[in-house]
Amino acid sequence: MELREMRVFVAIVEEGSLSAAARRLHLSQPALSQTVGSLERQLGVRLLVRSSAGMAATPEGRTLLDESRAVLARHDQALVALDRQRAREVGVLRLGLPLDVPPALLVGPLGELAAAYPATGVQARHLAPALLEAALRRDELDTALLRERPRGQELDSLLVLEEPLGALLTTRQAERLGGPDALSLEALAGLRWMGFPREDAPGYFDELTAVLRAHGIEAARAVTELRAILPAVVYASVAAADGAFALAPPHLACLAPDGLTWCPLAGNPLIRRTWAAWSAGSHRRDLGHFIAAFDIPERQRGLPVPRAHRAASGPPVGQSA
């Protein structure tokens, strides 16, 4: 019995029909039927029965289903483990990025990494913030830029960027409110905030909505969930909605198309923070050098430099000085 046959059998039982399993596996229905028939002949038992509800496993089929799932899971785990080992051996830094990270933020750190560790390659993945943290905790990434500081002892983190958020509005709406000069948050009361799903970054979302509510903006009822927080999606959503605005950092202002205007907010009441995070158990010196190369806000304010910032010249990330 081959792994391919197990996958076919599991797919048919889970989908409940040959047609659905064929779509899932990108195979033809006759090919799936032949595979099941061959499997039943090999084992000498009936594995599937057809009913008005679709395809279902016989008692023997249910036994094979449990064992097949276990075998396939172990096979997939072995491949993942080999991929992780191969990535470490060839010196690959797996970097996770939010969808709208400022490009200038990475210029210095990536340049420093290339100069100090020319053999280390970088594999970048763009994901929503919550997915980035989950991938980091599953060891699918070596480091990631997050919108909120991760909790727990498994991950270390460092604040690497603070950006004041401004309001992105239609040009006509901005002129009515007094833009493009600085606007007060109260001036946006009554407009709808084109936001993002809370589950993407719960802490960051709650921080924003608390400030908005304090200035008369009922964000909880006004948020439109944008599953991909890309500039083009934000622009299109604001332009298409009547009486709406989005929150955006300054680097997106110069990219706004005709008809949209970015206005700073008076007093900078909303700040977006970006944290670099990595496994607390990591001992990679190239990762430590990469983290240390960020222009750390704490250093600019004269605060103590965190332990990880000393990694390039001292012990690797995860070790004490």
Side-chain angles (χ1 to χ4, degrees):
M1 185 166 48
E2 300 177 357
L3 291 174
R4 177 185 59 83
E5 295 172 318
M6 290 184 181
R7 290 195 188 280
V8 167
F9 176 72
V10 170
I12 293 173
V13 176
E14 290 181 347
E15 297 294 337
S17 71
L18 285 174
S19 58
R23 288 193 298 271
R24 169 173 158 180
L25 299 174
H26 304 289
L27 296 172
S28 67
Q29 292 188 47
L32 266 61
S33 297
Q34 292 174 8
T35 299
V36 172
S38 173
L39 197 54
E40 289 180 331
R41 287 191 296 272
Q42 291 178 51
L43 301 177
V45 294
R46 186 79 178 273
L47 299 174
L48 294 169
V49 293
R50 189 186 299 274
S51 69
S52 58
M55 304 292 289
T58 64
E60 295 82 1
R62 287 193 292 273
T63 299
L64 179 62
L65 177 66
D66 294 338
E67 297 300 326
S68 295
R69 283 171 168 164
V71 170
L72 293 172
R74 288 295 298 151
H75 172 265
D76 294 342
Q77 289 170 7
L79 293 181
V80 170
L82 288 173
D83 286 342
R84 290 173 179 168
Q85 181 64 31
R86 188 180 302 114
R88 293 189 178 96
E89 290 174 352
V90 300
V92 172
L93 185 69
R94 300 166 300 170
L95 171 62
L97 302 172
L99 297 171
D100 58 346
V101 62
L105 177 62
L106 294 170
V107 173
L110 289 177
E112 292 280 349
L113 177 67
Y117 294 89
T120 296
V122 176
Q123 291 180 348
R125 292 178 61 189
H126 287 81
L127 295 169
L131 298 180
L132 284 173
E133 183 174 341
L136 193 58
R137 293 185 183 278
R138 291 194 302 266
D139 195 29
E140 296 173 3
L141 296 171
D142 298 305
T143 184
L145 300 183
L146 308 178
R147 292 299 181 218
E148 54 192 75
R149 187 174 189 174
R151 298 181 179 180
Q153 303 299 315
E154 299 84 4
L155 300 178
D156 279 340
S157 60
L158 191 66
L159 181 64
V160 298
L161 182 65
E162 291 184 316
E163 303 170 278
L165 295 178
L168 186 69
L169 312 103
T170 63
T171 300
R172 183 171 56 183
Q173 185 74 59
E175 291 173 349
R176 272 203 302 264
L177 297 178
D181 296 331
L183 298 176
S184 67
L185 269 181
E186 287 83 356
L188 301 176
L191 301 183
R192 288 176 295 153
W193 173 40
M194 308 297 285
F196 57 90
R198 183 181 183 277
E199 58 267 26
D200 278 0
Y204 176 43
F205 180 92
D206 291 344
E207 179 183 348
L208 287 182
T209 54
V211 176
L212 291 175
R213 288 195 189 99
H215 288 78
I217 301 171
E218 283 297 326
R221 292 196 299 269
V223 169
T224 298
E225 297 190 349
L226 304 177
R227 296 306 305 175
I229 314 174
L230 292 165
V233 176
V234 174
Y235 297 153
S237 300
V238 172
D242 183 26
F245 75 97
L247 295 171
H251 79 271
L252 292 183
C254 61
L255 303 177
D258 292 341
L260 294 182
T261 296
W262 183 87
C263 302
L265 295 175
N268 295 326
L270 299 173
I271 301 294
R272 185 174 76 173
R273 296 174 178 86
T274 301
W275 302 81
W278 64 93
S279 171
S282 176
H283 296 278
R284 292 187 56 168
R285 289 189 175 272
D286 53 357
L287 173 58
H289 196 93
F290 174 75
I291 297 296
F294 281 100
D295 189 10
I296 307 301
E298 285 92 337
R299 169 176 290 176
Q300 296 172 359
R301 294 196 296 263
L303 299 180
V305 178
R307 170 169 57 96
H309 199 73
R310 301 192 296 269
S313 55
V317 176
Q319 286 185 259
S320 58

